[in-house]
Amino acid sequence: MHHYRYSLALWAGFAVYAAQLLIFVFRFGALDLAPALQGLIFIPVGWLMFIPVVFFMNRLETSRQQYWLWGFVIVALPVSLLGMAMGGLFGTVGVFIYGVLPVALASLIGFFIIRLLSGKQPT
């Protein structure tokens, strides 16, 4: 079993920022400095996105359970990235809400499903 550290959330923040820059380049064909600097808001969103993931990962007992939870998170990531891009229409709050909620909910729901299927009470 792996014990994940919250530093994973820090690295995830930078990965989310890089993914948003790639989405911007694919969408508009180029990357200017101003949107790249404005996109720095995605780094703390990535941090907040993965804090619940690390929390629930550390509460699971086996590596197999943790791999299943990664599956839930990976399914939610595209929804989250799209939510961040579209949430920008509602300002910074929209970016945070629509960016963090899909992954946080996927990790919560995944945790409960994994624990129930393993025959243990979710705690």
Side-chain angles (χ1 to χ4, degrees):
M1 180 173 85
H2 304 289
H3 284 289
Y4 293 92
R5 302 204 189 306
Y6 286 98
S7 60
L8 172 68
L10 295 175
W11 288 108
F14 294 115
V16 166
Y17 175 62
Q20 287 297 338
L21 290 179
L22 286 174
I23 289 171
F24 188 87
V25 168
F26 286 131
R27 193 166 149 202
F28 297 111
L31 182 64
D32 296 326
L33 182 60
L37 292 176
Q38 289 174 351
L40 290 174
I41 188 68
F42 295 121
I43 294 174
V45 172
W47 295 341
L48 289 175
M49 184 188 310
F50 277 88
I51 286 174
V53 173
V54 173
F55 175 78
F56 289 120
M57 283 284 181
N58 289 332
R59 295 178 65 97
L60 293 173
E61 297 170 349
T62 66
S63 294
R64 186 176 182 150
Q65 291 174 339
Q66 291 175 342
Y67 293 137
W68 276 103
L69 188 59
W70 274 120
F72 279 92
V73 170
I74 288 170
V75 168
L77 272 175
V79 175
S80 185
L81 290 172
L82 182 63
M84 280 189 280
M86 301 306 286
L89 299 173
F90 301 106
T92 305
V93 174
V95 171
F96 274 90
I97 290 172
Y98 295 115
V100 173
L101 277 182
V103 171
L105 287 176
S107 60
L108 175 71
I109 292 168
F111 174 76
F112 280 111
I113 289 173
I114 292 165
R115 292 292 289 195
L116 288 174
L117 291 177
S118 70
K120 302 212 174 183
Q121 290 292 329
T123 56

